[in-house]
Amino acid sequence: QVQLVESGGGLVQPGGSLRLSCAASTSIFSNYNMDWYRQAPGNRRELVATISMRGTSTSYADFVKGRFTISRDNAKNMVYLQMNDLKPEDTAVYYCHGQFWAGTWQESWGQGTQVTVSS
């Protein structure tokens, strides 16, 4: 099972930017579909963005379209989330998630990184 470690969270003012990174410890990273989720206090975890195994297809939740960009570097076993024009409602713990098909879906979650948008 792949281990996922997020980094890059922090405190940013409204309108600012952050880039989250997720490092994966697996030799078959390119076989994983990767996602970013987030969870704000009192809310359920919600899907933010998804990227396909080779990075050729991405999708976004409506609430981040045009502001966030997901990308990956399979040579470095990394997935990223560039977040621009951040809003206070983007405040949440952001989680990296990976899925790999091995007869059944194998899933892994990172420990999360806190993003706080506040003036």
Side-chain angles (χ1 to χ4, degrees), residues 7-116:
S7 61
L11 173 64
V12 63
Q13 292 186 341
S17 298
L18 281 176
R19 187 196 196 205
L20 305 184
S21 300
C22 173
S25 62
T26 175
S27 60
I28 55 170
F29 180 66
S30 60
N31 288 350
Y32 279 80
N33 291 312
M34 299 299 297
D35 316 287
W36 286 96
Y37 281 76
R38 72 185 188 186
Q39 187 168 19
N43 292 358
R44 63 185 181 93
R45 196 170 294 188
E46 58 186 3
L47 180 63
V48 174
T50 297
I51 189 165
S52 60
M53 289 182 286
R54 288 175 175 78
T56 54
S57 175
T58 58
S59 64
Y60 299 90
D62 286 343
F63 50 79
V64 303
K65 277 183 182 177
R67 301 187 298 122
F68 290 12
T69 303
I70 188 171
S71 61
R72 67 190 296 164
D73 185 338
N74 285 349
K76 296 181 179 179
N77 284 12
M78 297 290 294
V79 63
Y80 306 99
L81 185 67
Q82 178 66 44
M83 306 185 294
N84 298 329
D85 190 24
L86 282 160
K87 306 174 187 297
E89 52 264 40
D90 295 317
T91 295
V93 178
Y94 284 72
Y95 296 91
C96 182
H97 172 257
Q99 288 189 98
F100 165 58
W101 179 253
T104 59
W105 281 112
Q106 305 297 309
E107 293 187 274
S108 293
W109 291 91
Q111 83 288 352
T113 185
Q114 176 71 46
V115 172
T116 302

